[in-house]
Amino acid sequence: MSNIRITKQFNFETGHALYGYDGKCRNVHGHSYKLSVTVIGRPITDTSHVKLGMVIDFGDLKKIVKEEIVDQFDHATVFNKNTPHVELAKELTDRGHMVILANYQPTSENMVIDFSARIISRLPENIQLHSLRLQETDTSFAEWYASDN
C-alpha cells in the first residue's frame, strides 16, 4: 500500500508584537493566519474498520489542530515572555484578554516550529507530520517539513 499525504487547512486571527524588531512589526498588530497541516501515512486496509481507506479521519486531524492551536491562538495576542511585553501582557490578561507568553519571538518561523511539536505529540503512531505552512499575509508564509528536521 502506498503512503498518502492529506492536508487540512485552518484559519485563525492572532495578534503579536516583535520586541526589539527594527520595523513596523515591533508594534502590536494582528494577522489572519492560514495554517495548512499535511500528514502522511498508509490508508487503513482492514475491511472491518469503520475508517477503511482513510489515512486519518479529517475530523480527527481537525480535533487535534483545533485543540492544540486554533482554540489557543485564535483571537489571542502572543508575546515573547522574555521581553518587557510581559507588563503589557499582564495588563491585558487582567482586563480579560487572551494572551500567550511564548518561549520565543512570535515570528511565523518560530510559531510553525511550536505548532509542529504540538501536533506531533498528538498524532497516532502510524501517522507522521509531513509539513506545515503558516501563511501570515497573502504573500508571506513560513513552512516546516519533517524531512528538513
Side-chain angles (χ1 to χ4, degrees), residues 58-70:
F58 282 114
D60 294 340
L61 182 57
K62 178 181 178 179
K63 181 179 189 313
I64 291 167
V65 177
K66 187 172 179 314
E67 290 175 2
E68 292 295 327
I69 298 160
V70 177

Side-chain angles (χ1 to χ4, degrees), residues 13-24:
E13 312 290 327
T14 302
H16 69 156
L18 303 180
Y19 182 75
Y21 182 67
D22 63 354
K24 292 180 181 180

Side-chain angles (χ1 to χ4, degrees), residues 33-127:
Y33 287 98
K34 296 176 183 175
L35 177 65
S36 297
V37 178
T38 301
V39 297
I40 189 167
R42 296 181 188 274
I44 295 167
T45 57
D46 178 353
T47 57
S48 66
H49 198 290
V50 296
K51 297 183 182 185
L52 174 65
M54 295 181 182
V55 171
I56 185 173
D57 188 316
F58 282 114
D60 294 340
L61 182 57
K62 178 181 178 179
K63 181 179 189 313
I64 291 167
V65 177
K66 187 172 179 314
E67 290 175 2
E68 292 295 327
I69 298 160
V70 177
D71 288 349
Q72 294 184 40
F73 283 81
D74 190 34
H75 285 82
T77 303
V78 185
F79 296 117
N80 181 335
K81 75 175 189 177
N82 298 312
T83 69
H85 281 132
V86 294
E87 296 169 13
L88 176 57
K90 182 181 179 340
E91 183 177 337
L92 289 170
T93 302
D94 290 347
R95 292 174 182 241
H97 293 268
M98 288 178 33
V99 175
I100 296 170
L101 292 175
N103 292 324
Y104 52 82
Q105 180 82 309
T107 61
S108 290
E109 296 90 335
N110 285 330
M111 290 171 68
V112 82
I113 292 167
D114 178 21
F115 295 173
S116 68
R118 291 169 183 251
I119 293 168
I120 288 169
S121 73
R122 296 275 309 272
L123 287 174
E125 285 184 25
N126 60 325
I127 307 297

